[in-house]
Amino acid sequence: MENGSSHPQIVTISGGKVFDGASFGSCDVHISGKQIVSDISASEGEVLDASGCYVLPGFIDLHFHGADGADMSDGDVDGIHKMARYEASRGITAICPATMTISMQQLLDAARCASEFKAATDEADLVGINMEGPYISPSKIGAQNPIHVRVPDIEEFEQLQIVSGGLFKIVDLAPEEDGADEFIERMGDKVRISVAHTCADYETAAHAFDLGAKHLTHLYNAMDPMHHRKPGPIPAAAERSDVTAEIIADGIHIHPAMVRLAFNIFGDDRMILVSDTLRAAGLKDGIYDLGGQDVEVKGYEARIENGALAGSVSDLMRCFYVAVHDMDIPLISAVKAATVNPARALGISESYGSLSVGHIADAVLIDEDTLELKHVVLRGKLIV
């Protein structure tokens, strides 16, 4: 499906304020083919004027379910192409879509389709799969389907990993459930294990992190809140320097003060912006399917029949905008949380999440004043 004739090759991005991983500087970004290089190459191509723009690494969303009518749990390769195309058009150049609490056969179908996917010129790279369920607490299912909730199963997961070609990068689980300890101990060095959809108290969560869990799924959501006598899983995660935390900064899921608090207690090197979008992202209001349940979308809100929030319809670029513009998250902190940090959490930081020499030439240009998306360079090609 590779066809780049309509997308010009970029050899230099010039005149912008370039993010170097910690700050912004005035320099040019040089590209040869699909890679960032140290100097102007002999390759033919165009110079992209970035005057008045911030030049950022391509965004990475490690927790979203779908977009443009497609969902990862559909088990449909064409659907992944639709999702990847939409995400790339919004500056999300690498994706790790999430499955839901679904049957084993559906998980196998999703894994197989992911292994078959090859990105076209205007489609984001598929860099992993996030397995959100079915190893969750039946008391914290959120918008997941309770029919398929089950205890962690090492043999089941290993089979899925084989079918996917090793694409599963994150596995969610509730550490208080039977079998969780053994799963973390045996699989913690093979996949990033995330505490999620959980009733775990502080001690149980701390034990899970001691065993090797290193992630916290959509912070605040589907977990017990912090209390001065019952701290819950959030302080347990914050106390460990190797644990990262996702957050949905769409302006619906979490109050701005709580988003700021999260960045303060975890630090901007461990916070990861995620969208948690449904198939309705990029589409109009209406009724959509999520893991076998109907979800009603009105504006930026998505809810199941009982009124519970069911993911988001704000893609990662909008979440980034809301975090900076509406929630007063510092720009540099938000950029880290959308680029550097997810790349590190997924183990792909040698190729993604940076504009350093040797990295894949994914870049996002946003207006300095409005934060509006202006251009997207995907693997060296100008697609927006």
Side-chain angles (χ1 to χ4, degrees):
M1 297 183 68
E2 194 76 15
N3 182 4
S5 59
S6 62
H7 302 292
Q9 174 70 43
I10 300 301
V11 294
T12 299
I13 302 172
S14 180
K17 294 182 178 178
V18 178
F19 182 70
D20 66 3
S23 61
F24 290 97
S26 297
C27 62
D28 291 343
V29 177
H30 302 297
I31 299 169
S32 178
K34 299 180 181 181
Q35 193 172 53
I36 296 173
V37 293
S38 60
D39 206 345
I40 298 173
S41 71
S43 302
E44 293 185 0
E46 299 182 7
V47 175
L48 179 60
D49 183 7
S51 300
C53 291
Y54 293 113
V55 182
L56 314 177
F59 285 12
I60 303 166
D61 197 345
L62 58 70
H63 186 164
F64 79 105
H65 296 279
D68 195 25
D71 188 289
M72 187 62 194
S73 294
D74 292 342
D76 176 35
V77 178
D78 288 340
I80 300 177
H81 283 289
K82 290 178 68 176
M83 291 160 50
R85 188 174 301 113
Y86 172 82
E87 296 293 313
S89 75
R90 295 288 295 150
I92 301 101
T93 57
I95 57 174
C96 180
T99 53
M100 293 285 289
T101 296
I102 51 180
S103 70
M104 180 57 173
Q105 186 57 57
Q106 289 173 298
L107 284 168
L108 286 168
D109 290 343
R112 174 183 51 79
C113 289
S115 71
E116 295 173 359
F117 173 79
K118 302 296 181 186
T121 305
D122 60 349
E123 296 173 356
D125 280 336
L126 181 72
V127 295
I129 306 170
N130 182 337
M131 189 171 164
E132 187 189 10
Y135 308 147
I136 61 176
S137 168
S139 299
K140 291 285 187 181
I141 59 173
Q144 304 273 356
N145 192 334
I147 295 174
H148 298 297
V149 171
R150 49 196 185 270
V151 298
D153 187 322
I154 294 170
E155 183 177 342
E156 176 182 80
F157 175 72
E158 288 179 333
Q159 184 181 356
L160 288 166
Q161 193 69 297
I162 290 170
V163 171
S164 74
L167 279 172
F168 283 95
K169 298 294 180 68
I170 299 174
V171 175
D172 291 8
L173 59 73
E176 72 273 19
E177 297 300 317
D178 291 343
D181 281 7
E182 182 184 4
F183 191 96
I184 297 170
E185 286 181 306
R186 288 183 54 184
M187 307 307 295
D189 61 347
K190 299 177 181 178
V191 66
R192 195 170 191 87
I193 295 175
S194 183
V195 171
H197 289 269
T198 178
C199 296
D201 58 17
Y202 171 87
E203 289 76 17
T204 303
H207 178 64
F209 295 127
D210 286 342
L211 291 178
K214 289 185 170 61
H215 199 68
L216 199 59
T217 294
H218 45 48
L219 187 68
Y220 301 122
N221 298 117
M223 65 185 66
D224 288 346
M226 291 185 288
H227 184 277
H228 58 285
R229 285 190 296 272
K230 298 179 180 179
I234 297 172
E239 289 174 345
R240 285 158 173 78
S241 61
D242 61 344
V243 175
T244 47
E246 309 170 1
I247 199 160
I248 308 169
D250 62 350
I252 303 295
H253 279 75
I254 304 166
H255 190 281
M258 297 303 286
V259 176
R260 291 191 293 271
L261 177 65
F263 273 83
N264 284 333
I265 64 176
F266 279 87
D268 66 7
D269 287 327
R270 293 199 286 144
M271 288 300 301
I272 296 174
L273 289 173
V274 299
S275 70
D276 201 15
T277 54
L278 316 176
R279 68 173 77 247
L283 303 178
K284 62 183 181 180
D285 291 358
I287 305 294
Y288 297 90
D289 173 77
L290 177 67
Q293 299 186 95
D294 285 342
V295 175
E296 184 175 10
V297 174
K298 290 183 178 179
Y300 289 115
E301 289 194 29
R303 297 182 182 273
I304 57 176
E305 187 177 0
N306 67 8
L309 283 171
S312 162
V313 289
S314 295
D315 59 51
L316 185 58
M317 183 57 68
R318 182 175 186 275
C319 289
F320 168 83
Y321 173 87
V322 171
V324 177
H325 186 268
D326 300 336
M327 297 179 169
D328 294 325
I329 299 301
L331 177 63
I332 287 175
S333 296
V335 175
K336 286 183 179 181
T339 60
V340 180
N341 299 349
R344 188 185 304 117
L346 291 172
I348 58 172
S349 57
E350 290 186 0
S351 298
Y352 299 89
S354 171
L355 295 173
S356 300
V357 171
H359 283 69
I360 292 172
D362 292 339
V364 176
L365 278 63
I366 61 172
D367 187 275
E368 288 182 33
D369 298 320
T370 66
L371 302 181
E372 176 187 357
L373 177 65
K374 305 295 287 187
H375 294 292
V376 178
V377 176
L378 179 68
R379 298 184 295 273
K381 300 281 189 177
L382 181 66
I383 66 165
V384 175

